[in-house]
Amino acid sequence: MKVRVLDDPLIRHTLTKIRDKNTKADRLREYVENITLMCMPYVLKDFPVRRVRVETPLEEGEFEAIEEERIVFVCLLRAGLAMLRGALKSVPMAHSGFLAIRRDEETLRPFLYYKRLPSLRGKWVLVLDPMLATGGTLSLALEELKREEPERLISLHIVASPEGIERVLRDHGELELYTVSIDRGLNERGYIVPGVGDMGDRLFTEGL
Ligand code: URA
């Protein structure tokens, strides 16, 4: 597995805004969307480009283009939704898929309760999940996605824990993992510290 921390001043500045507990839901959604957009050049850096014929208003020529239709963004509900908007801004013709996973209250094991995916065969699949905590959710998501035989599996996170990375590394050695930060670790309630708190709640249910 390839792990890459996206060490860029503007990206880290935006993460600091995301960490700030005084950042309200509306601004938080914008920061998460923007940080995802800012990460995309790094994630797509080695994606093959082909030459396409395009007419500019002045003449016709051959220019470089990414094969947008080969990219599938898979959003882990619900916090991944805010990242999807940013990812689609960079590659608007990419396809999107959705997975929802939660923890069974009795067994404490994650289980999949919603899945809506386009064909993944031969595609480059980019999983969007802002918080990589224990790694249980991502590991199950990747297991599900691998059944569809994508050509490449990539994940993008805003904050990851060392425990989560280790778990996913163990389960899915072929993953290419990008994260803005690897934080100190998990607390006793499974939150990443210093982290950002509960990302889904902060994005979507603030004030409830
Ligand atoms: N999910 C979150 O939203 N935050 C964490 O710290 C861990 C998991």
Side-chain angles (χ1 to χ4, degrees), residues 131 133 190-192 195-200:
M131 308 301 290
Y191 284 99
I192 301 174
V196 310
D198 189 314
M199 182 66 109

Side-chain angles (χ1 to χ4, degrees), residues 47-179:
F47 272 45
V49 287
R50 59 183 167 168
R51 298 194 65 85
V52 294
R53 284 204 81 72
V54 166
E55 271 181 58
T56 79
L58 301 176
E59 61 181 69
E60 195 181 325
E62 273 205 356
F63 304 96
E64 290 186 347
I66 286 179
E67 290 180 50
E68 292 186 66
E69 326 68 47
R70 278 191 75 183
I71 299 173
V72 180
F73 296 127
V74 173
C75 161
L76 299 196
L77 297 172
R78 63 198 153 137
L81 272 179
M83 294 182 77
L84 182 61
R85 285 171 61 94
L88 282 171
K89 269 195 179 156
S90 64
V91 191
M93 299 308 290
H95 297 171
S96 301
F98 302 86
L99 294 179
I101 291 168
R102 73 178 142 94
R103 193 191 283 254
D104 183 291
E105 297 301 333
E106 277 177 16
T107 65
L108 300 181
R109 295 169 72 89
F111 73 97
L112 179 76
Y113 66 96
Y114 181 77
K115 166 174 146 179
R116 186 84 194 207
L117 296 172
S119 165
L120 303 183
R121 188 179 295 267
K123 298 278 172 55
W124 300 319
V125 172
L126 173 54
V127 181
L128 302 169
D129 185 13
M131 308 301 290
L132 173 56
T134 63
T137 299
L138 181 64
S139 191
L140 180 61
L142 294 170
E143 216 175 288
E144 197 63 36
L145 298 172
K146 276 175 16 183
R147 290 207 193 109
E148 314 273 332
E149 299 181 10
E151 188 179 302
R152 284 174 73 173
L153 263 182
I154 304 151
S155 69
L156 175 61
H157 312 280
I158 297 177
V159 180
S161 73
E163 296 92 324
I165 292 177
E166 195 189 319
R167 160 83 192 268
V168 178
L169 182 71
R170 206 175 342 113
D171 294 350
H172 304 282
E174 72 278 48
L175 181 71
E176 302 163 48
L177 186 152
Y178 294 82
T179 184

